[in-house]
Amino acid sequence: MPELLEVRNVVAGYGSGPAILNGADLHVSPGEIQCIIGPNGAGKSTLMKAITGLLPIRSGEIRLMGERIDRLRPDQILQKGIAFVPQERALFPRMSVRENLRMGGYTIRDERELKRRIDDVLHRFPILSERASQHAGTMSGGQQQMLAMARTLIVRPKIVMLDEPSLGLAPMIVQQMFDIMRQLRDSGMTVLLVEQNAVVGLKNADRGTVLDLGRTLFSGPARDILKDPRVRELYLGKAAA
Amino acid sequence: MATELGVSDVLQARKDYNATLASAGRRERATWFPLALLTLLVLLPALQITGGHNYTLHLVLYAMMYAAMASSWNILGGYTGYISLGHNVFFCIGGYVSGMILAYFGITSLITAPLAGLTAAVVGFAVGLITLKMRGPTFIISSIALLMVARILFDHWQFVGGSNGVTLPQMDIPAQWAKLPYYYGMMVVCALTVWASYRIKHSKFGLGLRAISQDEVKAESAGIDTRFYKVLAFAISAFFVGMAGAIWGEYITYLRPNIFLIILVAANMVLMCILGGKGTVAGPIVGAVVLIAFNELSVTFFGASEINLLITGLVMVLALKFFPAGIVGTLARKRRLPRVLDWD
């Protein structure tokens, strides 16, 4: 299967500081859930920022369906089909669910088309549909995370990237989040996520990539990575047992 | 000791709580109320048939003027989150543009008010291009600076009469009916402003403005041209304040910088908006009515002294203690807002 997203030998860092990514590689195939794991400071979130154009890369290349995107602005990358849900979710707390969804599709000029897409997304997330007029800031963390995901879907991206989607959520809600990701995958979308909780992330993913010190150490089917004794010893600990 | 609750009780309690939150924004609007209010305002001058209600009409006209200006200020200060303390500059520009046309060409401000508003909007656009690069306290200071510059300019500009100002010709109407043209003129300006404020709040442009007020960086990353939006909001806001200034100038029959360009006028717009509920549609109107009512009461009880300023301050302190988001804003948050005031 041809790669949807390719990251090759990327070096990136913040300002004139040391490089956080030191030759990171990543291969994402269409229609899969891929989970990036690694210890704190491995460069997982930095890799996400590099892909979405929020952090310029120093060398290497990033390609989406063969086309280089590493010199594009974040809004151009979004238009190419890569949507990003950052850790802090980036919602507007004093806006309703529907208004937050409208913000997700602000660049869509055709109001009828935008409404159609919002209705489509609300159909996919019934919990949000029930709360369409509720302010985002009054919802629980899990519901806000769902809204953040739903908002990215308005632009109908090829890849949805999520940075630590389980952060601060109850285990039951985390499972719901992964159920939604599987639904997205089953509808043909590709999901790339960074997860601190490596076991949960890999158990729910098709493919895994292990990042350490800004380099890619392992990559392969998530189940194989979960079983790999080196990965278990270095990153998963007793939880994987 | 923990309360003994079954799983179904907990689930039901959660469901009820969620239903309450979800239903918060689904209230039906009482659209009849603003229309009834407008009808009442249209019919109010009929009181003059019996005569002797000039002061009542003056007071209502004054309240409508401030309701219009506070609603207009709300487009920038409430929706966009940029606090301007120099908005009376546009009130002055409107007053002078229409006033000078009246003085030189004899055309009433009731006709030239849109032109006056447009002039204020153009100036607002130009000023906004410069000052809206700043944010927070820096922007507030820049708006006060604008007011000071305008005051110096108008005080020394002899073409418009300098600090002595200009006396305007009056309409040849019997005293009993003399206020009516301006009353209706101001009513139209007020109704237009409130309608525009409502339409903007519910438009895509308004959504963009509200996004800017919550987080400008997030708004920009959502694809909003934040600079253009802010400047446009500033210009629209200036337009309606300018129209109110045009009508007011002719109504009081003279133009003088110390009528238009004192900070109290700008402060009133801001205070009324904050008192009523910044960012709500009905809030500025409620704020204008409450502040003017307290002002009048203090004048009635304590005479025409500066004690009304003290009363205004006291009203603000007490109101914001009990209504931190303004009267309409706080009641809406507590879900106790009467339906007739839910214009959002």
Side-chain angles (χ1 to χ4, degrees):
Chain A
M1 203 181 283
E3 302 292 8
L4 181 62
L5 178 73
E6 276 181 284
V7 175
R8 280 191 200 152
N9 205 21
V10 162
V11 176
Y14 298 92
S16 55
I20 307 294
L21 296 177
N22 292 295
D25 293 302
L26 183 73
H27 302 277
V28 183
S29 302
E32 70 173 12
I33 299 176
Q34 181 162 162
C35 178
I36 303 170
I37 64 162
N40 285 331
K44 304 185 294 293
S45 297
T46 307
L47 179 57
M48 288 261 175
K49 286 177 189 162
I51 294 169
T52 50
L54 293 167
L55 181 70
I57 63 171
R58 293 177 188 171
S59 62
E61 58 180 54
I62 303 171
R63 288 177 185 270
L64 179 72
M65 295 193 302
E67 184 190 349
R68 277 191 80 160
I69 57 166
D70 49 67
R71 290 191 186 92
L72 300 181
R73 292 192 312 267
D75 58 312
Q76 291 172 317
I77 293 175
L78 175 66
Q79 279 173 0
K80 293 273 177 198
I82 299 181
F84 180 46
V85 181
Q87 261 179 40
E88 65 277 12
R89 294 164 193 152
L91 295 172
F92 292 96
R94 293 194 303 279
M95 283 189 187
S96 70
V97 166
R98 189 173 278 279
E99 286 171 337
N100 266 286
L101 293 175
R102 281 188 75 190
M103 286 306 299
Y106 203 87
T107 48
I108 299 168
R109 290 190 177 180
D110 184 345
E111 277 290 315
R112 273 185 297 182
E113 173 62 18
L114 178 59
K115 190 182 174 305
R116 217 178 359 254
R117 289 191 189 192
I118 289 173
D119 290 342
D120 189 35
V121 165
L122 285 175
H123 182 69
R124 207 190 273 260
F125 294 85
I127 185 80
L128 298 180
S129 183
E130 288 167 17
R131 290 152 187 275
S133 19
Q134 188 178 330
H135 276 193
T138 64
M139 300 204 306
S140 69
Q143 290 158 355
Q144 287 189 21
Q145 186 62 271
M146 278 186 206
L147 177 57
M149 270 177 74
R151 205 177 69 164
T152 62
L153 301 183
I154 298 286
V155 288
R156 296 190 176 155
K158 295 184 180 78
I159 304 178
V160 177
M161 296 191 3
L162 302 129
D163 193 359
E164 305 252 15
S166 71
L167 195 72
L169 301 184
M172 200 167 77
I173 307 292
V174 171
Q175 202 46 54
Q176 282 179 13
M177 294 298 303
F178 279 105
D179 288 345
I180 291 168
M181 285 181 220
R182 273 194 290 274
Q183 284 174 22
L184 293 179
R185 176 199 59 192
D186 295 344
S187 67
M189 218 169 272
T190 304
V191 179
L192 176 64
L193 69 140
V194 157
E195 197 44 80
Q196 191 67 43
N197 188 342
V199 177
V200 172
L202 288 172
K203 275 184 179 168
N204 287 284
D206 302 309
R207 197 178 161 90
T209 292
V210 183
L211 213 63
D212 202 338
L213 296 172
R215 284 169 298 146
T216 307
L217 295 190
F218 311 100
S219 189
R223 284 183 183 188
D224 293 353
I225 290 188
L226 261 175
K227 287 178 194 160
D228 191 309
R230 296 166 302 173
V231 176
R232 288 169 71 129
E233 191 184 336
L234 283 169
Y235 307 109
L236 307 183
K238 288 176 185 172
Chain B
M1 204 174 83
T3 318
E4 283 189 25
L5 275 175
V7 172
S8 58
D9 294 329
V10 174
L11 290 176
Q12 188 56 45
R14 269 192 210 165
K15 203 175 163 186
D16 292 345
Y17 175 70
N18 287 338
T20 317
L21 287 176
S23 64
R26 286 197 209 125
R27 288 158 44 109
E28 275 186 31
R29 282 189 204 96
T31 37
W32 62 267
F33 184 72
L35 294 174
L37 195 64
L38 192 61
T39 312
L40 185 72
L41 290 172
V42 171
L43 298 175
L44 191 71
L47 285 174
Q48 279 301 75
I49 296 168
T50 57
H53 292 282
N54 259 335
Y55 188 67
T56 310
L57 291 183
H58 165 77
L59 213 55
V60 176
L61 188 155
Y62 187 64
M64 288 193 296
M65 179 186 80
Y66 266 114
M69 293 210 290
S71 287
S72 196
W73 183 90
N74 194 34
I75 295 168
L76 181 75
Y79 300 162
T80 323
Y82 277 73
I83 308 290
S84 163
L85 284 177
H87 243 50
N88 50 336
V89 168
F90 307 112
F91 185 53
C92 177
I93 290 171
Y96 271 78
V97 167
S98 272
M100 295 312 288
I101 293 175
L102 175 65
Y104 280 91
F105 304 104
I107 305 171
T108 171
S109 66
L110 299 171
I111 295 168
T112 58
L115 180 69
L118 206 61
T119 312
V122 170
V123 176
F125 196 89
V127 169
L129 279 175
I130 302 162
T131 60
L132 285 163
K133 286 177 185 168
M134 297 167 242
R135 290 181 195 179
T138 327
F139 174 76
I140 298 174
I141 292 167
S142 77
S143 69
I144 298 172
L146 172 71
L147 174 59
M148 293 167 82
V149 169
R151 179 68 192 262
I152 294 167
L153 189 75
F154 278 90
D155 267 345
H156 293 88
W157 192 6
Q158 290 311 314
F159 176 70
V160 295
S163 57
N164 292 325
V166 179
T167 303
L168 301 175
Q170 296 176 36
M171 276 192 191
D172 190 16
I173 301 176
Q176 191 182 357
W177 306 109
K179 290 190 190 311
L180 257 57
Y182 309 106
Y183 175 93
Y184 283 116
M186 199 62 90
M187 191 187 72
V188 170
V189 171
C190 181
L192 264 178
T193 311
V194 176
W195 178 77
S197 165
Y198 172 83
R199 289 305 300 251
I200 287 172
K201 180 149 191 194
H202 291 86
S203 67
K204 196 172 178 180
F205 172 60
L207 187 71
L209 296 182
R210 286 161 56 213
I212 290 171
S213 82
Q214 290 189 38
D215 192 320
E216 209 160 325
V217 178
K218 274 188 219 168
E220 202 158 1
S221 62
I224 295 170
D225 185 346
T226 54
R227 192 173 172 215
F228 178 69
Y229 270 48
K230 288 186 295 182
V231 174
L232 191 59
F234 199 63
I236 292 171
S237 179
F239 174 78
F240 292 110
V241 174
M243 289 230 288
I247 309 279
W248 185 250
E250 186 176 338
Y251 172 68
I252 60 172
T253 69
Y254 54 90
L255 308 169
R256 205 179 292 156
N258 67 359
I259 293 169
F260 291 94
L261 293 174
I262 47 169
I263 200 158
L264 191 65
V265 177
N268 271 340
M269 289 184 228
V270 182
L271 293 180
M272 286 165 179
C273 215
I274 290 172
L275 178 66
K278 199 160 71 77
T280 65
V281 178
I285 301 157
V286 172
V289 171
V290 170
L291 262 197
I292 289 169
F294 272 97
N295 237 326
E296 281 308 304
L297 284 174
S298 70
V299 170
T300 308
F301 288 112
F302 305 107
S305 62
E306 286 193 342
I307 206 158
N308 62 327
L309 289 178
L310 190 73
I311 301 275
T312 304
L314 202 65
V315 169
M316 285 301 296
V317 170
L318 286 175
L320 292 179
K321 178 163 173 53
F322 296 105
F323 300 96
I327 296 168
V328 173
T330 307
L331 288 175
R333 273 187 203 173
K334 291 182 175 173
R335 290 189 283 283
R336 285 184 186 162
L337 183 67
R339 229 156 58 86
V340 290
L341 287 180
D342 189 3
W343 297 6
D344 287 289

